[in-house]
Structures are given as structure tokens and as C-alpha cells.
Amino acid sequence: MNKYDTEDIIYALSTPLVQSAIGVIRVSGKGCIKVLSTHFKSKIDLNKAESNTVIYGRLENLDNCLITVFKHGHGYTGEESLEISCHGGLQIIISILNFLSSLSFRQAERGEFTFRAFMNGKMDLTQAEAVNELINSKSLVSSSMALNKLNGELFKIIKNLTDKITDFLTNIEFQLDYTDEDDLLYADFDVNELKSVDNEILKLLDTYSVGRIYSEQLNVVICGVSNAGKSSLFNYLLREERSIVSSHLGTTRDYIESSCVISDIPVKLYDTAGLRETSDVIEKEGVKRSRDLIESADIILYLIDPKNPVIDKRLIEDKRCIFIKTKSDLIKSGLTKSGLIKSYLNVDTRIENEIEQKCISVSVITGDGFSELFKAVKDKVFSNLQKIENVRNGEVFIQSARQKKSLLQAHNGLNAVINGYENGVTMDLLAIDIREVLNNLGEITGEVTSDDILDRIFSKFCVGK
Ligand SMILES: Nc1nc2c(ncn2[C@@H]2O[C@H](COP(=O)(O)OP(=O)(O)O)[C@@H](O)[C@H]2O)c(=O)[nH]1
Ligand SMILES: [Mg+2]
């Protein structure tokens, strides 16, 4: 049994509890219209109002409000519900909430309205999760990804895969029914069709590397030797003076993090301590922390000071690195002559030249080079197959770790069936594995789901959604 009781009438404030123009309070549950109608003075009796219409009136003696009426089968939750739009004064909102509580309505749990929508068949689990992804999205692309799923695009894909696999299972079960038990039970089907289903699952799984970034954040770590211009770039990208900029070596001793959006990608940006060998204990710890951050980075912005163009041998071949020469204004104005890049330990001039070639030159003074840098970040995130444009065209990107896990289990299960078939495993055993794959896919849409999973999903929502 999950923690939500679907018999209760529930209520919650759906807008933030701050003084504002309007507050919206949701009420949902069987009988809520009848109960509230006796406390609402209006030209049209709430009981007689048509579904999806708005009625103006006075709620108790608390406020003049607009109440939107949703009859059973309509609205967000799919059950009888009301949306009260009241004046956004804190006192008014609180007194209406207290009043609803005095009617024995229960304050809703997190995500309980969406939970009811799911239980009433208004949406499947992929759409319910998309609601939360939409609310939490930090960029336009994130919200487009969520909207595609809210429109049922992921549900359609999973349903299509499930249908194909169910056909296989039916075929096998049919053969099992008509085969003598004493015979060896070998399945007779076209294994290539299963392989093509598996390919579709793999394609979907592949979208997670990008989808994850849009539901969490891209970890971008700025590193390089002291004085390379790391804190200046950090501030430039955030457009605020958060990090102390100075020409004194070792000013940034620990790392600083902040959020921003680059090329419409939600980014967690880190400014780190300079990667230099040092005997100062505190600074040493800072350098160690920089190295730990670099380990877990999605993208590393490796800054090279044109006056002191050295690079860390360990990062030269790291695919996550974007090499950036800073202070291009000094070079342009002839104040500084750019030296050739040298690695810490003399490695290979061929590689050093290669980096010299692909280095992006930027200046935080003139703003030069930043469009090139933003494009480079975007290109690192998206592979050739996955493009931001695809999101706008409705392509589905997996964003939830839960969905990814179930897809991976389905992929492994299908592989077991394909291998089993190729190695002469009998039909009855193959049928068991195929049923398990259907379960894995059913977990994604919510056809097969434990209370525990539902609790975990909906407790991530806010109250009132
Ligand atoms: N002319 C110029 N100076 C810069 C630029 N970026 C950084 N600097 C200077 O380089 C010095 C070191 O910068 P800082 O951001 O503190 O380097 P960090 O040690 O890598 O964090 C400071 O004096 C900055 O003003 C730039 O684009 N142009
Ligand atoms: Mg610094």
C-alpha cells in the first residue's frame, strides 16, 4: 500500500506562498464540489456549473474568487476537482487553506495530484515523470525534452516495442501449446526481429548521455595554471564578480561553483585552484580538490596563458578537454607575444602542435572567441546523431535514471533471449526471459510498478502538483 489515500478530498496551494497578485489553490476528490458549493455564494450554483467552466463568487467571508470546476473524468487529476484563484495576499491564502482544513479536507502530499492523474489513467508514468522534469527544467531545450514526453512520445515508443515483443511471446506460447511435452521445445521465430527491437532500445538508451545533462547539469570545470585567467573566465560566463581575480599566484585556493546556461545547456561551472606544484599546505589541498573535480567533469575548459603557455601532460589526450588560450586582446594589441605551447614534461611536439591548432582564443576584455567557445561546448555534448534540433522536432531523450535502468535491463534480457535462441535454449525458458523484458518495459510506463517505485517518483514532486 502506498502512502496516498485516494478516497480523501485533498487540497494544496499550487503557487508559491508569497505575497502576489493571485494565489491558486487546488482541491480534488469525490464530493468536493458539493461540500464547497454550500460555502460559495455565486450566480451559478457550483453543483450546476458545467465542467471546465469558471464561476465568480464569494468563498465564505474570506475572499471573492474565481473557481474553475472540473467534473469527474475532466481536469488534471481526472476526478472531481476545483481550482480556486484567490487574491494573493498571504493572509487570504492562509485563511482559505485553514478553512479547507476545517472542512476535513486533507493537505495533499508531494505530487499527489499527479499521482491521482496517473491512477485515474489521465497519464502514464512517463508523462507523470515528464511533469516534474518540465517544472524542474533549467533551459528551453530541457523543457522541450520534457514536453515531448508529456505529449506521450516516450509512451508511444515503449508501447510499440512492447507490442512487438508481445507478438513474439504469443507466437512462442502458441507453439508451446501445440507441442508434445516430450519433444524438445525449440522456438521457431525470426530472431532478427528481436534484434531490431533491441536496436531501438539501444538507440533510446544512447539518448541518456545528453538527456541526463538536461535534467541535471553539465559539469564544466575550468582549470589551468595560476594566472591563466580562470577566475576571470568564470566571472565572465556568470556575468557577476564572484571569483577574486588577481595577478597574485594562488589566489583561488579552493574551488567555487555556480550555475549558468551555455548554448541553452544548463551548466554547473567550477573555478578551480591553479594546477601548480606547491609546498603551501592549504594550496596543495586546493590543487588536490581541483584534480578530484577534473575526474568527475563532463567538460574541462583548459586555459592556457599566452605568456606562460604550458599544459598538463595528463590532460593532453583527454577527450573532455576544450583548450583555450586566454587574453587574446594582449596578443592582438601586440602587448604580449604568444609563446608556443609546452607540456609540463616534454611529451611530443606533434601533440603540442595539434593543441596549438585547435586552441580557441578568447578575451574577457573584448568578448572575442566566445561564440566559438559556446559552439565547442555544444559539439562536445551532442554526438553527430543527437542534435538540439532533434529535440525541437519531437525526438525523445531519456532523462530519468530510473527509465534508463529499466531500459538497460530490457536490453540485457533481450540479449539473453537472442543468445539463448542461438544456443538452442528451449522455448519454455525463452518465454520466461521474454516476460521479464516485458516487465522491465512495463515499469517505464507504469503498467508494472510497485508502490515503492511510485512513492519514490512522486515524492520528488512539489506539494500542489
Ligand atoms: N588583458 C587581459 N587580462 C586578463 C584576461 N583574463 C584574465 N586577465 C588577467 O590575468 C590575471 C589573472 O587572472 P585570474 O582570472 O585571476 O587568473 P587565475 O589565477 O587563473 O584565476 C588578472 O590580472 C586578470 O585581470 C583577458 O582576457 N585579457
Ligand atoms: Mg583564480
Side-chain angles (χ1 to χ4, degrees):
M1 202 30 220
N2 61 64
K3 66 181 178 189
Y4 303 122
D5 185 342
T6 49
E7 296 299 312
D8 293 345
I9 296 177
I10 52 172
Y11 70 92
L13 178 67
S14 289
T15 43
L17 186 58
V18 287
Q19 185 177 318
S20 51
I22 298 169
V24 176
I25 296 166
R26 262 192 174 141
V27 179
S28 189
K30 198 167 168 217
C32 67
I33 297 178
K34 188 152 184 271
V35 177
L36 264 198
S37 69
T38 59
H39 301 276
F40 191 60
K41 268 199 208 96
S42 54
K43 275 192 190 152
I44 302 173
D45 180 356
L46 275 189
N47 287 304
K48 296 197 179 117
E50 298 220 356
S51 188
N52 302 25
T53 56
V54 186
I55 312 287
Y56 177 73
R58 169 166 290 220
L59 182 62
E60 253 330 68
N61 264 333
L62 301 171
D63 192 18
N64 295 340
C65 336
L66 288 169
I67 296 189
T68 314
V69 180
F70 300 101
K71 295 255 166 98
H72 180 79
H74 295 268
Y76 186 68
T77 57
E79 62 184 10
E80 204 180 312
S81 61
L82 299 160
E83 259 176 41
I84 305 169
S85 305
C86 61
H87 290 98
L90 279 180
Q91 198 44 57
I92 288 175
I93 290 174
I94 290 168
S95 57
I96 294 179
L97 292 174
N98 286 339
F99 169 66
L100 295 174
S101 170
S102 76
L103 298 175
S104 296
F105 294 177
R106 170 170 66 77
Q107 160 91 46
E109 300 281 344
R110 285 171 173 272
E112 195 165 1
F113 294 94
T114 313
F115 173 77
R116 289 193 175 186
F118 167 66
M119 292 307 278
N120 293 326
K122 274 275 164 181
M123 55 178 78
D124 79 297
L125 215 47
T126 65
Q127 291 169 307
E129 281 183 286
V131 169
N132 207 28
E133 286 166 1
L134 191 60
I135 291 174
N136 290 320
S137 53
K138 297 176 188 78
S139 76
L140 262 178
V141 176
S142 320
S143 43
S144 301
M145 281 182 179
L147 263 181
N148 292 343
K149 278 176 278 191
L150 190 59
N151 291 340
E153 294 304 324
L154 176 58
F155 175 77
K156 270 191 234 157
I157 294 176
I158 303 292
K159 171 90 174 51
N160 182 270
L161 296 172
T162 307
D163 286 350
K164 286 181 183 164
I165 298 172
T166 306
D167 282 350
F168 267 100
L169 189 60
T170 314
N171 180 8
I172 292 182
E173 281 171 343
F174 180 81
Q175 292 183 50
L176 276 173
D177 283 347
Y178 288 91
T179 311
D180 197 324
E181 270 185 36
D182 296 333
D183 286 346
L184 272 177
L185 307 174
Y186 292 116
D188 175 23
F189 59 72
D190 183 2
V191 77
N192 283 327
E193 285 183 33
L194 268 196
K195 285 182 183 167
S196 90
V197 171
D198 188 39
N199 270 338
E200 285 179 60
I201 292 180
L202 278 177
K203 228 173 93 188
L204 210 48
L205 268 173
D206 204 36
T207 62
Y208 183 67
S209 60
V210 172
R212 174 190 70 81
I213 286 162
Y214 282 91
S215 69
E216 297 166 16
Q217 273 172 316
L218 184 75
N219 284 320
V220 177
V221 178
I222 304 176
C223 69
V225 294
S226 295
N227 244 353
K230 298 181 294 297
S231 300
S232 305
L233 182 82
F234 179 82
N235 291 338
Y236 184 88
L237 291 173
L238 298 175
R239 304 199 197 293
E240 55 180 290
E241 297 289 318
R242 278 217 44 199
S243 216
I244 305 161
V245 175
S246 113
S247 55
H248 179 72
L249 292 186
T251 310
T252 313
R253 292 191 161 193
D254 200 345
Y255 66 81
I256 302 175
E257 60 175 73
S258 198
S259 296
C260 64
V261 173
I262 296 178
S263 292
D264 209 31
I265 300 166
V267 166
K268 172 134 318 146
L269 194 64
Y270 295 89
D271 178 20
T272 62
L275 293 173
R276 67 185 192 125
E277 302 308 324
T278 170
S279 53
D280 181 308
V281 183
I282 300 172
E283 204 187 333
K284 224 177 191 149
E285 179 57 26
V287 173
K288 184 189 166 294
R289 288 188 194 191
S290 307
R291 294 228 178 267
D292 292 346
L293 269 183
I294 287 169
E295 279 289 301
S296 61
D298 293 309
I299 289 182
I300 300 162
L301 300 183
Y302 196 98
L303 302 203
I304 300 162
D305 185 350
K307 282 192 219 165
N308 175 27
V310 288
I311 43 172
D312 190 328
K313 182 187 169 201
R314 284 158 286 200
L315 289 172
I316 284 179
E317 303 219 53
D318 197 312
K319 294 258 181 303
R320 299 169 301 164
C321 268
I322 296 174
F323 293 98
I324 300 165
K325 251 195 198 172
T326 52
K327 314 180 191 179
S328 67
D329 55 294
L330 294 181
I331 310 292
K332 256 194 185 153
S333 63
L335 285 173
T336 297
K337 207 171 156 299
S338 178
L340 277 180
I341 294 172
K342 278 271 163 267
S343 47
Y344 279 171
L345 306 165
N346 263 346
V347 237
D348 181 344
T349 47
R350 187 181 48 85
I351 294 177
E352 288 163 0
N353 288 339
E354 219 174 86
I355 292 177
E356 187 82 53
Q357 293 293 318
K358 64 182 178 193
C359 239
I360 298 171
S361 288
V362 302
S363 161
V364 299
I365 308 261
T366 61
D368 279 352
F370 278 93
S371 48
E372 209 184 324
L373 171 58
F374 295 157
K375 185 179 176 302
V377 170
K378 198 162 103 179
D379 289 348
K380 277 257 184 274
V381 173
F382 286 86
S383 72
N384 291 336
L385 288 172
Q386 306 162 332
K387 297 217 156 54
I388 281 189
E389 293 69 38
N390 296 357
V391 182
R392 299 205 183 97
N393 293 334
E395 192 182 309
V396 168
F397 282 72
I398 298 293
Q399 287 178 277
S400 122
R402 187 192 81 83
Q403 292 168 351
K404 183 214 159 197
K405 187 172 158 219
S406 297
L407 276 175
L408 200 58
Q409 285 168 338
H411 160 68
N412 291 337
L414 269 186
N415 267 337
V417 175
I418 293 164
N419 283 335
Y421 175 76
E422 286 170 348
N423 290 302
V425 172
T426 53
M427 275 193 250
D428 48 346
L429 294 177
L430 290 182
I432 295 171
D433 281 350
I434 292 181
R435 266 185 225 112
E436 193 47 40
V437 172
L438 285 174
N439 271 341
N440 299 142
L441 294 177
E443 275 170 5
I444 298 175
T445 55
E447 264 169 70
V448 186
T449 317
S450 68
D451 287 338
D452 180 43
I453 292 180
L454 290 180
D455 273 357
R456 243 179 297 148
I457 291 175
F458 289 100
S459 60
K460 284 191 203 141
F461 281 60
C462 49
V463 173
K465 192 68 224 181

